[in-house]
Amino acid sequence: LRKALARHAAISKDAKMGQGIDRHLFALHKLGLQGGRPHPLFEDAAYGALKADMLSTSSLYSDALMLGGFGPVSSGYGVAYAAAEDLCLFHVTSRAQSTRDFSAALLGAVTDMASVMSSTKSPKA
């Protein structure tokens, strides 16, 4: 789990810096449209699936904030979250999905992760 968390942090950092593959493809698609020469790749069902986000997240933790929210993507979920040393807060939204079921699954996953993390030693810094 610690390796997965480290890998996720690295991928998230790359995405924040514009290094995610989706940003490059998005830019190429837009340039093709602007130039009047869209590439057939962007009509492929696989590209459609790649850009169909089911989950959009945003971290909102700050001592200055008490509440926050994050809207859902068109056909999926929006999750605002705050993680600190001793707490995790989530705000889950959706337009047409089962927000209650997703929230219950999220709670189960976080509970399981907390159990795993508390039963293992922290790596030495």
Side-chain angles (χ1 to χ4, degrees):
L1 181 58
R2 290 186 196 282
K3 285 182 182 179
L5 291 171
R7 179 70 177 133
H8 175 74
I11 290 170
S12 295
K13 181 180 175 185
D14 286 348
K16 286 179 186 177
M17 301 301 293
Q19 299 300 311
I21 188 171
D22 62 318
R23 299 294 83 200
H24 297 291
L25 291 173
F26 176 79
L28 289 172
H29 185 211
K30 290 300 180 186
L31 287 171
L33 290 174
Q34 288 175 356
R37 298 182 58 200
H39 193 279
L41 165 72
F42 302 109
E43 301 301 320
D44 191 277
Y47 181 71
L50 175 70
K51 69 178 191 167
D53 294 327
M54 274 301 294
L55 179 65
S56 187
T57 64
S58 181
S59 175
L60 297 172
Y61 187 72
S62 167
D63 290 335
L65 295 173
M66 293 189 65
L67 298 170
F70 194 69
V73 292
S74 59
S75 63
Y77 300 95
V79 179
Y81 64 94
E85 185 69 29
D86 59 347
L87 67 92
C88 287
L89 302 172
F90 297 92
H91 180 257
V92 179
T93 60
S94 70
R95 290 193 179 112
Q97 304 296 326
S98 175
T99 305
R100 186 170 304 204
D101 290 345
F102 182 90
S103 296
L106 179 61
L107 176 61
V110 169
T111 301
D112 289 348
M113 287 174 47
S115 176
V116 168
M117 296 300 282
S118 66
S119 67
T120 60
K121 292 182 182 178
S122 295
K124 293 187 170 131

